[in-house]
């Protein structure tokens, strides 16, 4: 067994909601629940009872008599078919003067809304939407920063049974049309502009172009964000109306329409780096139930907790964050660059707002380590109990950095799931130790396994494809405009019939955790040996001169050779000595098979708008193939560096 980096204090362990659930189940069933493995196994063997417990934990309402229809069908299972609920109602239970959310940005703007104020704003917008003819099933879209306006608009739409879908305002016109053009929103909520890294970006021309190319759009509701004190510019956009002018007068009570468990709530989008984005439809009940489970049991969130996740409204972690209201957490929203005005911005935010659960990307934490930040020394993080990381595999060395430079007594939860399920397959566990490089556990109610190429379960320590073998409530309802379900089925169930194939390359560990080695479609295969790109990144991160790296497999002489691109610290140049040190590090700590055949320096690495490096796009450029959807990238100009490189022609 590995040596843990952290163990929960016995008092913390016993005070957790997970421990309380185990004690309740032991009393009710007479079964022993000595550790998390017992609870996880029970949740898979008794899915109807388990998910009913989560329903009760969340006090969602009347679930009906039946919990699960077609329990072995993937896809095809139906959860709580008799239930009626409203997603927004479960997030807006409170109407008092305590804080519900705090919206901040890189300029220093801070807007706090109480539960009563949030409820009032949602009620006024919901009434205005209803007066505009918005009904259950209509789409309301948002081109919005991570501000209070986005939360208000989503909840107002959900209260009516409308379907919410959002993009961050840094998307270009074509990127937005690739998404919203498919779902044809009736109302679009947008901002007049946004700030990024000290620069103000106006959106009037972009919004005008969008309104002209969304034929079913009836209203464009604009709120001021460049200057919150100035009215947004609506001139030249026939459908446009200012937020303050659009909101109904206060006073009318907020009504929540009771809807089926599987009524559509969100439309999220695949990254679009391999083609036009898939429009993934998620149901209200499944989203709520899954997020309640993850927040309350896996993150141990409750009343008084302060939840922060660095995200844009174009990433599923925003949807995940907002659901924290259902567990009583105060939300901290942040818009702008995480490094503006300086790299310590988010840690100052955590200190000032007393954040208890801090979420970010693996890439951000690794960048903090490379920059030499010591948040635990420079900031009061006494309130912080849990640190969440996702977006890519968290390197082993970054685990060390967290406990060395951020906080020793901290639950570090590297989590993994995705837009496809608007939740997680692997999560944190407040009653288990944290091991270096490992995701702590498979989620409750999630029958996660690792399969080899033939569809057989891999042994512990053997790498393969991450799958889920039983239905779960947050499986998508389907894809938009996919009436026969063929595209949906092909995306997840063609590989292993009746089993969800997620596309991650992973392994189970002896400690009952997981390690994610990258995406299955980017696995390298030199000489027939399968290598996950994360295995190489982990070693390259040890080289201080390298800020970040990206690895692909290049077709070469009837085989595949490994090519590594590195971005170095400012002022440094990749020379033969540094190349050799990188190779030696990889060879010593991984294997000779992992050593790249070519190592090249670049000034920038392309990434999605949520910060994920795009290996597939680079691989396409290197092989002379067009990149399917440039609009999905935050910095598409970076791809030019990879075109027709002389070093890759020899």
């Amino acid at each position: 067994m590995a040596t843990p980096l952290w163990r929960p204090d016995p008092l913390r362990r016993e005070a957790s909601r997970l421990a309380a659930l185990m004690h309740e189940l032991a009393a009710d069933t007479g079964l022993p629940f000595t550790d998390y493995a017992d609870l996880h196994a029970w949740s898979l063997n008794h899915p109807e009872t388990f998910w009913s417990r989560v329903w009760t934990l969340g006090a969602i309402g009347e679930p009906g008599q039946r919990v699960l229809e077609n329990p072995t069908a993937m896809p095809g299972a139906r959860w709580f078919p008799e239930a009626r609920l409203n997603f927004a109602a479960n997030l807006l239970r409170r109407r008092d003067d305590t804080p519900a959310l705090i919206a901040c940005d890189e300029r220093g703007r801070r807007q706090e809304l109480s539960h009563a104020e949030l409820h009032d704003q949602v009620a006024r917008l919901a009434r205005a939407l209803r007066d505009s003819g918005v009904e259950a099933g209509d789409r309301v879209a948002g081109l919005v920063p991570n501000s209070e306006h986005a939360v208000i608009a989503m909840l107002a739409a959900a209260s009516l049974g409308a379907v919410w879908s959002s993009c961050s305002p840094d998307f270009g016109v074509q990127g937005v049309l690739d998404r919203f053009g498919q779902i044809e929103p009736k109302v679009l909520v947008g901002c007049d502009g946004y700030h990024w890294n000290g620069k103000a970006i106006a959106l009037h021309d972009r919004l005008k172009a969008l309104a002209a190319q969304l034929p079913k759009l009836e209203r464009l509701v604009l709120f001021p964000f460049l200057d919150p004190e100035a009215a947004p510019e609506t001139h030249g956009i026939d459908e446009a109306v200012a937020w303050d002018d659009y909101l109904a007068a206060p006073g009318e009570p907020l009504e929540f329409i009771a809807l089926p468990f599987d009524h559509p709530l969100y439309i999220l989008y695949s990254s679009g780096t391999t083609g036009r984005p898939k429009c993934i439809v998620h149901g209200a009940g499944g989203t709520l139930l899954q997020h309640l489970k993850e927040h309350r049991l896996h993150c141990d969130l409750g009343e008084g907790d302060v939840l922060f996740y660095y995200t844009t409204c174009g990433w599923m972690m925003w949807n995940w964050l907002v659901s924290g209201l259902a567990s009583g957490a105060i939300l901290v929203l942040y818009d702008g660059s995480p490094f503006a005005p300086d790299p310590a911005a988010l840690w100052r935010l955590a200190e000032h707002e007393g954040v208890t659960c801090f979420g970010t990307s693996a890439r951000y934490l690794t960048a903090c380590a490379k920059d030499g930040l010591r948040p635990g020394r420079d900031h009061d993080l006494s309130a912080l109990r849990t640190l969440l990381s996702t977006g890519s595999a968290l390197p082993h060395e970054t685990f060390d950095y967290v406990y060395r430079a951020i906080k020793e007594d901290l639950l570090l939860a590297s989590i993994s799931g995705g837009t496809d399920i608007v939740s997680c397959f692997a999560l944190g566990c407040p009653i288990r130790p944290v091991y270096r490089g490992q995701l702590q556990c498979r989620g409750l109610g999630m029958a996660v396994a690792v399969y080899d190429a033939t569809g057989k379960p891999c042994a512990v320590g053997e790498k393969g494809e991450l799958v889920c073998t039983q239905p779960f409530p947050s499986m998508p309802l389907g894809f938009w405009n996919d009436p026969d379900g063929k595209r949906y089925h092909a995306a997840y169930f063609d590989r292993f019939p009746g089993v969800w194939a997620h596309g991650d390359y992973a392994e189970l560990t002896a400690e009952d955790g997981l390690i994610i080695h990258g995406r299955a479609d980017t696995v390298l295969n030199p000489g027939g040996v399968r290598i996950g790109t994360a295995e190489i990144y982990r070693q390259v991160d040890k080289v201080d001169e390298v800020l970040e790296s990206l690895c692909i497999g290049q077709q070469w002489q009837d085989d595949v050779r490994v090519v590594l691109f590195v971005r170095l610290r400012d002022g440094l140049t990749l020379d033969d000595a540094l190349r050799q040190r990188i190779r030696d590090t990889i060879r010593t700590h991984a294997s000779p098979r992992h050593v790249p055949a070519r190592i090249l320096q670049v000034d920038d690495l392309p990434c999605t708008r949520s910060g994920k490096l795009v290996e597939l796009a680079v691989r396409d450029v290197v092989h002379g193939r067009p990149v399917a959807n440039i609009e999905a990238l935050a910095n598409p100009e970076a791809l030019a560096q990879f075109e027709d490189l002389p070093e890759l022609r020899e």
Side-chain angles (χ1 to χ4, degrees):
M1 294 285 285
T3 302
L5 294 171
W6 175 85
R7 288 186 183 276
D9 178 271
L11 292 177
R12 176 175 178 174
R13 186 186 190 281
E14 282 305 304
S16 70
R17 290 165 179 82
L18 261 181
L21 177 61
M22 291 166 64
H23 292 319
E24 290 172 11
L25 290 173
D28 292 348
T29 67
L31 298 172
F33 289 88
T34 58
D35 57 22
Y36 179 82
D38 292 338
L39 179 59
H40 183 257
W42 179 87
S43 73
L44 301 184
N45 292 329
H46 303 87
E48 296 184 35
T49 309
F50 169 70
W51 289 109
S52 294
R53 286 273 181 167
V54 178
W55 184 289
T56 301
L57 185 69
I60 294 172
E62 177 53 52
Q65 295 297 314
R66 292 176 295 164
V67 175
L68 179 58
E69 289 182 345
N70 304 321
T72 61
M74 287 188 71
R78 285 194 66 206
W79 296 90
F80 299 94
E82 300 166 352
R84 292 294 183 271
L85 61 94
N86 186 280
F87 183 84
N90 281 275
L91 274 64
L92 292 170
R93 289 196 182 101
R94 295 175 62 175
R95 302 181 190 182
D96 54 36
D97 292 330
T98 58
L101 62 83
I102 300 161
C104 306
D105 68 19
E106 67 171 45
R107 298 168 290 176
R109 174 184 181 269
R110 184 184 187 276
Q111 181 68 41
E112 181 175 315
L113 288 183
S114 69
H115 287 280
E117 290 168 330
L118 177 61
H119 189 276
D120 175 67
Q121 291 286 302
V122 172
R124 294 173 63 189
L125 182 56
R127 180 182 168 192
L129 291 172
R130 188 187 64 203
D131 291 346
S132 293
V134 173
E135 300 176 340
D138 287 338
R139 275 77 63 207
V140 176
L143 187 67
V144 283
N146 188 11
S147 70
E148 70 275 16
H149 307 86
V151 178
I152 292 165
M154 182 278 286
L155 291 171
S159 73
L160 300 171
V163 187
W164 172 259
S165 189
S166 58
C167 291
S168 60
D170 57 347
F171 274 69
V173 172
Q174 191 57 52
V176 178
L177 289 174
D178 284 346
R179 291 157 175 80
F180 294 167
Q182 296 187 65
I183 68 169
E184 301 176 314
K186 180 178 283 189
V187 175
L188 174 62
V189 178
C191 60
D192 59 355
Y194 65 98
H195 290 256
W196 179 263
N197 204 24
K199 183 180 179 181
I201 298 103
L203 291 181
H204 182 271
D205 292 346
R206 201 178 307 177
L207 290 165
K208 184 176 180 180
L210 285 172
Q213 296 180 72
L214 292 171
K216 294 192 177 180
L217 186 69
E218 298 180 9
R219 268 285 178 240
L220 171 57
V221 183
L222 283 176
F223 59 85
F225 199 67
L226 283 177
D227 179 0
E229 303 303 319
E233 177 58 63
T234 59
H235 177 74
I237 310 175
D238 292 340
E239 300 84 356
V241 60
W243 173 279
D244 286 344
D245 295 336
Y246 185 69
L247 259 63
E252 186 167 325
L254 178 57
E255 296 181 7
F256 299 104
I257 298 178
L259 297 156
F261 183 87
D262 56 1
H263 183 80
L265 170 70
Y266 291 136
I267 296 176
L268 305 182
Y269 304 95
S270 63
S271 63
T273 53
T274 57
R276 198 180 188 195
K278 296 187 289 288
C279 304
I280 306 170
V281 185
H282 287 290
T287 301
L288 178 61
L289 204 62
Q290 188 78 295
H291 289 179
L292 281 167
K293 178 203 75 177
E294 295 183 349
H295 288 153
R296 295 201 177 191
L297 298 178
H298 288 279
C299 297
D300 203 28
L301 287 177
E303 298 287 341
D305 276 306
V306 181
L307 174 62
F308 166 77
Y309 216 107
Y310 179 76
T311 179
T312 71
C313 295
W315 189 21
M316 59 131 308
M317 293 312 300
W318 180 84
N319 308 78
W320 190 92
L321 166 66
V322 175
S323 291
L325 288 169
S327 291
I330 301 167
L331 307 185
V332 175
L333 315 175
Y334 183 85
D335 193 76
S337 168
F339 296 104
D342 58 67
L346 297 187
W347 300 111
R348 279 198 303 274
L349 179 72
E351 175 182 12
H352 186 266
E353 304 300 345
V355 170
T356 60
C357 184
F358 182 109
T360 186
S361 66
R363 192 179 182 207
Y364 172 76
L365 291 174
T366 300
C368 288
K370 290 285 185 179
D371 280 350
L373 267 63
R374 298 191 64 85
R377 179 194 65 192
D378 300 333
H379 305 279
D380 179 4
L381 301 180
S382 55
L384 185 63
R385 295 186 296 111
T386 302
L387 178 62
L388 307 174
S389 169
T390 193
S392 59
L394 187 66
H396 293 52
E397 287 68 28
T398 309
F399 275 77
D400 299 336
Y401 165 76
V402 166
Y403 286 105
R404 180 179 68 250
I406 297 177
K407 195 171 185 179
E408 290 182 358
D409 186 14
L410 184 69
L411 171 57
L412 171 57
S414 180
I415 62 178
S416 182
T419 297
D420 317 76
I421 63 169
V422 72
S423 58
C424 300
F425 283 122
L427 290 146
C429 181
I431 65 173
R432 268 190 169 179
V434 173
Y435 293 96
R436 192 171 185 258
Q438 295 189 30
L439 290 71
Q440 279 182 291
C441 67
R442 290 168 277 184
L444 292 171
M446 310 296 277
V448 175
V450 177
Y451 275 11
D452 66 18
T454 68
K456 295 180 180 178
C458 292
V460 169
E462 182 182 350
K463 298 166 190 169
E465 182 147 349
L466 188 145
V467 301
C468 192
T469 62
Q470 293 179 197
F472 50 93
S474 65
M475 289 173 62
L477 303 179
F479 293 166
W480 192 258
N481 289 330
D482 182 29
D484 58 8
K486 286 184 178 179
R487 292 171 58 221
Y488 174 48
H489 193 280
Y492 308 111
F493 303 103
D494 274 1
R495 180 80 188 277
F496 307 113
V499 172
W500 177 289
H502 194 56
D504 280 342
Y505 189 53
E507 69 172 285
L508 299 175
T509 70
E511 294 76 25
D512 197 31
L514 289 94
I515 297 175
I516 305 293
H517 294 287
R519 292 290 296 171
D521 54 8
T522 62
V523 167
L524 310 171
N525 200 23
V529 178
R530 301 188 80 201
I531 296 171
T533 53
E535 299 175 65
I536 294 177
Y537 299 148
R538 176 191 167 193
Q539 307 310 327
V540 179
D541 282 339
K542 296 175 180 177
V543 180
D544 186 62
E545 292 89 341
V546 180
L547 289 177
E548 58 182 354
S549 59
L550 185 148
C551 199
I552 67 164
Q554 182 194 13
Q555 298 297 324
W556 184 255
Q557 296 180 349
D558 299 322
D559 197 358
V560 173
R561 68 177 179 184
V562 179
V563 178
L564 178 69
F565 300 97
V566 295
R567 184 170 72 88
L568 303 182
R569 295 185 183 277
D570 289 346
L572 297 183
T573 300
L574 182 66
D575 56 20
D576 288 343
L578 182 54
R579 279 193 183 90
Q580 190 58 47
R581 189 144 53 84
I582 293 170
R583 289 193 175 103
D584 290 345
T585 300
I586 296 171
R587 180 181 292 107
T588 300
H589 298 285
S591 81
R593 282 286 186 186
H594 291 73
V595 176
R598 295 286 186 272
I599 304 177
L600 300 160
Q601 181 177 0
V602 291
D603 295 328
D604 196 11
L605 293 172
C607 62
T608 66
R609 297 177 188 276
S610 59
K612 297 179 183 178
L613 295 176
V614 284
E615 297 150 324
L616 291 177
V618 171
R619 191 172 71 189
D620 283 342
V621 172
V622 166
H623 288 97
R625 300 189 292 261
V627 177
N629 191 352
I630 295 290
E631 285 285 343
L633 304 183
N635 54 341
E637 67 281 356
L639 289 175
Q641 303 170 95
F642 304 92
E643 295 177 357
D644 198 27
L645 293 169
E647 299 92 334
L648 299 186
R649 296 199 300 267
E650 58 185 32

PDB file of all heavy atoms in Angstrom, residues 470-483:
ATOM      1  N   GLN A 470     -23.743   0.321 -14.924  1.00  0.00           N
ATOM      2  CA  GLN A 470     -25.126   0.397 -14.475  1.00  0.00           C
ATOM      3  C   GLN A 470     -25.671   1.794 -14.734  1.00  0.00           C
ATOM      4  O   GLN A 470     -24.918   2.769 -14.730  1.00  0.00           O
ATOM      5  CB  GLN A 470     -25.238   0.098 -12.967  1.00  0.00           C
ATOM      6  CG  GLN A 470     -24.911  -1.316 -12.581  1.00  0.00           C
ATOM      7  CD  GLN A 470     -25.025  -1.559 -11.073  1.00  0.00           C
ATOM      8  OE1 GLN A 470     -24.520  -2.543 -10.533  1.00  0.00           O
ATOM      9  NE2 GLN A 470     -25.696  -0.648 -10.368  1.00  0.00           N
ATOM     10  N   PRO A 471     -26.989   1.919 -14.956  1.00  0.00           N
ATOM     11  CA  PRO A 471     -27.581   3.246 -15.166  1.00  0.00           C
ATOM     12  C   PRO A 471     -27.407   4.139 -13.946  1.00  0.00           C
ATOM     13  O   PRO A 471     -27.303   3.660 -12.812  1.00  0.00           O
ATOM     14  CB  PRO A 471     -29.065   2.936 -15.407  1.00  0.00           C
ATOM     15  CG  PRO A 471     -29.117   1.497 -15.779  1.00  0.00           C
ATOM     16  CD  PRO A 471     -27.981   0.835 -15.054  1.00  0.00           C
ATOM     17  N   PHE A 472     -27.401   5.445 -14.183  1.00  0.00           N
ATOM     18  CA  PHE A 472     -27.321   6.436 -13.105  1.00  0.00           C
ATOM     19  C   PHE A 472     -28.200   7.621 -13.498  1.00  0.00           C
ATOM     20  O   PHE A 472     -28.440   7.874 -14.690  1.00  0.00           O
ATOM     21  CB  PHE A 472     -25.873   6.864 -12.851  1.00  0.00           C
ATOM     22  CG  PHE A 472     -25.107   7.279 -14.090  1.00  0.00           C
ATOM     23  CD1 PHE A 472     -25.048   8.611 -14.486  1.00  0.00           C
ATOM     24  CD2 PHE A 472     -24.452   6.324 -14.859  1.00  0.00           C
ATOM     25  CE1 PHE A 472     -24.351   8.981 -15.623  1.00  0.00           C
ATOM     26  CE2 PHE A 472     -23.752   6.691 -16.012  1.00  0.00           C
ATOM     27  CZ  PHE A 472     -23.698   8.022 -16.395  1.00  0.00           C
ATOM     28  N   PRO A 473     -28.702   8.381 -12.533  1.00  0.00           N
ATOM     29  CA  PRO A 473     -29.731   9.390 -12.832  1.00  0.00           C
ATOM     30  C   PRO A 473     -29.313  10.512 -13.757  1.00  0.00           C
ATOM     31  O   PRO A 473     -30.163  11.091 -14.437  1.00  0.00           O
ATOM     32  CB  PRO A 473     -30.095   9.942 -11.448  1.00  0.00           C
ATOM     33  CG  PRO A 473     -29.749   8.847 -10.497  1.00  0.00           C
ATOM     34  CD  PRO A 473     -28.534   8.193 -11.079  1.00  0.00           C
ATOM     35  N   SER A 474     -28.025  10.869 -13.796  1.00  0.00           N
ATOM     36  CA  SER A 474     -27.613  12.013 -14.613  1.00  0.00           C
ATOM     37  C   SER A 474     -27.122  11.619 -15.996  1.00  0.00           C
ATOM     38  O   SER A 474     -26.454  12.418 -16.666  1.00  0.00           O
ATOM     39  CB  SER A 474     -26.528  12.825 -13.890  1.00  0.00           C
ATOM     40  OG  SER A 474     -25.343  12.061 -13.735  1.00  0.00           O
ATOM     41  N   MET A 475     -27.450  10.408 -16.449  1.00  0.00           N
ATOM     42  CA  MET A 475     -27.204  10.103 -17.850  1.00  0.00           C
ATOM     43  C   MET A 475     -27.990  11.092 -18.698  1.00  0.00           C
ATOM     44  O   MET A 475     -29.098  11.483 -18.343  1.00  0.00           O
ATOM     45  CB  MET A 475     -27.637   8.668 -18.174  1.00  0.00           C
ATOM     46  CG  MET A 475     -26.749   7.598 -17.584  1.00  0.00           C
ATOM     47  SD  MET A 475     -27.415   5.928 -17.817  1.00  0.00           S
ATOM     48  CE  MET A 475     -27.430   5.818 -19.601  1.00  0.00           C
ATOM     49  N   PRO A 476     -27.452  11.560 -19.822  1.00  0.00           N
ATOM     50  CA  PRO A 476     -28.193  12.523 -20.645  1.00  0.00           C
ATOM     51  C   PRO A 476     -29.549  11.967 -21.079  1.00  0.00           C
ATOM     52  O   PRO A 476     -29.719  10.759 -21.253  1.00  0.00           O
ATOM     53  CB  PRO A 476     -27.282  12.725 -21.859  1.00  0.00           C
ATOM     54  CG  PRO A 476     -25.931  12.289 -21.427  1.00  0.00           C
ATOM     55  CD  PRO A 476     -26.154  11.203 -20.423  1.00  0.00           C
ATOM     56  N   LEU A 477     -30.498  12.876 -21.270  1.00  0.00           N
ATOM     57  CA  LEU A 477     -31.763  12.478 -21.884  1.00  0.00           C
ATOM     58  C   LEU A 477     -31.550  12.139 -23.352  1.00  0.00           C
ATOM     59  O   LEU A 477     -32.344  11.411 -23.952  1.00  0.00           O
ATOM     60  CB  LEU A 477     -32.783  13.615 -21.762  1.00  0.00           C
ATOM     61  CG  LEU A 477     -33.078  14.113 -20.340  1.00  0.00           C
ATOM     62  CD1 LEU A 477     -34.094  15.250 -20.394  1.00  0.00           C
ATOM     63  CD2 LEU A 477     -33.570  12.983 -19.451  1.00  0.00           C
ATOM     64  N   GLY A 478     -30.476  12.662 -23.920  1.00  0.00           N
ATOM     65  CA  GLY A 478     -30.146  12.426 -25.320  1.00  0.00           C
ATOM     66  C   GLY A 478     -29.444  13.636 -25.893  1.00  0.00           C
ATOM     67  O   GLY A 478     -29.026  14.540 -25.154  1.00  0.00           O
ATOM     68  N   PHE A 479     -29.289  13.664 -27.195  1.00  0.00           N
ATOM     69  CA  PHE A 479     -28.734  14.817 -27.895  1.00  0.00           C
ATOM     70  C   PHE A 479     -29.876  15.588 -28.562  1.00  0.00           C
ATOM     71  O   PHE A 479     -30.865  14.995 -28.998  1.00  0.00           O
ATOM     72  CB  PHE A 479     -27.730  14.389 -28.969  1.00  0.00           C
ATOM     73  CG  PHE A 479     -26.467  13.768 -28.436  1.00  0.00           C
ATOM     74  CD1 PHE A 479     -25.605  13.086 -29.287  1.00  0.00           C
ATOM     75  CD2 PHE A 479     -26.112  13.860 -27.101  1.00  0.00           C
ATOM     76  CE1 PHE A 479     -24.439  12.520 -28.821  1.00  0.00           C
ATOM     77  CE2 PHE A 479     -24.951  13.295 -26.615  1.00  0.00           C
ATOM     78  CZ  PHE A 479     -24.108  12.621 -27.485  1.00  0.00           C
ATOM     79  N   TRP A 480     -29.720  16.890 -28.640  1.00  0.00           N
ATOM     80  CA  TRP A 480     -30.711  17.718 -29.317  1.00  0.00           C
ATOM     81  C   TRP A 480     -30.729  17.370 -30.810  1.00  0.00           C
ATOM     82  O   TRP A 480     -29.676  17.139 -31.408  1.00  0.00           O
ATOM     83  CB  TRP A 480     -30.365  19.190 -29.124  1.00  0.00           C
ATOM     84  CG  TRP A 480     -31.455  20.127 -29.520  1.00  0.00           C
ATOM     85  CD1 TRP A 480     -31.548  20.873 -30.660  1.00  0.00           C
ATOM     86  CD2 TRP A 480     -32.625  20.426 -28.753  1.00  0.00           C
ATOM     87  NE1 TRP A 480     -32.688  21.604 -30.651  1.00  0.00           N
ATOM     88  CE2 TRP A 480     -33.374  21.353 -29.496  1.00  0.00           C
ATOM     89  CE3 TRP A 480     -33.110  19.990 -27.504  1.00  0.00           C
ATOM     90  CZ2 TRP A 480     -34.590  21.870 -29.044  1.00  0.00           C
ATOM     91  CZ3 TRP A 480     -34.310  20.493 -27.052  1.00  0.00           C
ATOM     92  CH2 TRP A 480     -35.038  21.420 -27.818  1.00  0.00           C
ATOM     93  N   ASN A 481     -31.905  17.334 -31.382  1.00  0.00           N
ATOM     94  CA  ASN A 481     -32.082  17.007 -32.801  1.00  0.00           C
ATOM     95  C   ASN A 481     -31.487  15.639 -33.150  1.00  0.00           C
ATOM     96  O   ASN A 481     -30.820  15.468 -34.172  1.00  0.00           O
ATOM     97  CB  ASN A 481     -31.473  18.089 -33.700  1.00  0.00           C
ATOM     98  CG  ASN A 481     -32.271  19.382 -33.667  1.00  0.00           C
ATOM     99  OD1 ASN A 481     -33.484  19.365 -33.460  1.00  0.00           O
ATOM    100  ND2 ASN A 481     -31.599  20.504 -33.849  1.00  0.00           N
ATOM    101  N   ASP A 482     -31.730  14.677 -32.297  1.00  0.00           N
ATOM    102  CA  ASP A 482     -31.295  13.290 -32.521  1.00  0.00           C
ATOM    103  C   ASP A 482     -32.488  12.388 -32.193  1.00  0.00           C
ATOM    104  O   ASP A 482     -32.462  11.636 -31.217  1.00  0.00           O
ATOM    105  CB  ASP A 482     -30.089  12.990 -31.619  1.00  0.00           C
ATOM    106  CG  ASP A 482     -29.532  11.584 -31.801  1.00  0.00           C
ATOM    107  OD1 ASP A 482     -29.658  11.036 -32.914  1.00  0.00           O
ATOM    108  OD2 ASP A 482     -28.989  11.036 -30.816  1.00  0.00           O
ATOM    109  N   PRO A 483     -33.556  12.486 -32.996  1.00  0.00           N
ATOM    110  CA  PRO A 483     -34.836  11.866 -32.602  1.00  0.00           C
ATOM    111  C   PRO A 483     -34.785  10.358 -32.428  1.00  0.00           C
ATOM    112  O   PRO A 483     -35.501   9.807 -31.587  1.00  0.00           O
ATOM    113  CB  PRO A 483     -35.786  12.258 -33.746  1.00  0.00           C
ATOM    114  CG  PRO A 483     -34.892  12.619 -34.889  1.00  0.00           C
ATOM    115  CD  PRO A 483     -33.652  13.195 -34.289  1.00  0.00           C
TER     116      PRO A 483
END
